[in-house]
Amino acid sequence: MSEDVKDAGLMAMISSILGGNKRADTIAPPPLTEVPPTAPTDGFEPLEASIPDAAPAMPEMTSDAAPAATRPVEPPAKIATTPDGKQLLPAEAIADLVLGELRKMENFPGTGATVTVYGYRHWNAMITFAPFSTSFQNATRFRQAMPDLVFKLRRFVELEI
């Protein structure tokens, strides 16, 4: 499963949780065929696909039948989760989520805003603005929205170290 599909699915989940009705134009929900199956695990070890040593026997083919694909299909990559169901994501991915949610706010600058995620168990996020990227009033409004956004994201996302 590609990183874009994972990010799109996670952004859609976060948007629905936070009640955002606006979606980014470039983000589309993942196709149903690429969603990884869920299986109970302890959350820290990746699932290993059971690949038999011997290739399965091919049925007899007639001359007018097309040969089937002989290459096995790779299972989609598993998204790491904690035992309590939170997704483990690197700081850059969490920063992209936060920035994506902030971009849905009115008058958020298209460029010049940077989100930094820091901490460990109780991670936090900080937003900085480039000079002249936004007004002081808008920057204050965006900074005041950060604690609520981070609080909601902490319930579903854990920082991966």
Side-chain angles (χ1 to χ4, degrees):
M1 182 183 300
S2 71
E3 291 296 317
D4 292 336
V5 172
K6 288 181 194 175
D7 292 342
L10 192 54
M11 287 297 293
M13 180 186 76
I14 298 300
S15 292
S16 67
I17 291 167
L18 298 177
N21 292 334
K22 298 182 209 173
R23 287 189 171 200
D25 296 332
T26 59
I27 297 176
L32 294 177
T33 58
E34 292 187 9
V35 176
T38 57
T41 64
D42 66 352
F44 290 103
E45 288 138 59
L47 291 177
E48 299 208 12
S50 58
I51 301 174
D53 292 333
M58 295 294 288
E60 290 290 314
M61 297 198 134
T62 59
S63 60
D64 46 331
T70 58
R71 199 171 41 138
V73 178
E74 294 182 22
K78 182 184 180 319
I79 298 173
T81 57
T82 61
D84 57 349
K86 295 180 182 179
Q87 290 188 355
L88 285 172
L89 294 176
E92 295 85 17
I94 296 174
D96 289 340
L97 285 173
V98 172
L99 196 56
E101 288 300 316
L102 286 171
R103 284 200 170 117
K104 295 177 184 177
M105 294 179 70
E106 187 178 351
N107 296 329
F108 193 82
T111 59
T114 306
V115 174
T116 305
V117 174
Y118 60 93
Y120 176 60
R121 283 201 188 258
H122 300 289
W123 60 268
N124 207 348
M126 171 184 71
I127 187 167
T128 55
F129 296 98
F132 307 108
S133 62
T134 189
S135 67
F136 179 78
Q137 289 83 11
N138 283 338
T140 302
R141 188 169 53 95
F142 301 136
R143 285 187 180 109
Q144 288 173 347
M146 285 287 289
D148 291 334
L149 182 62
V150 168
F151 178 76
K152 290 176 184 175
L153 281 174
R154 274 191 207 135
R155 295 187 310 183
F156 302 101
V157 179
E158 192 67 41
L159 183 62
E160 178 181 77
I161 301 293

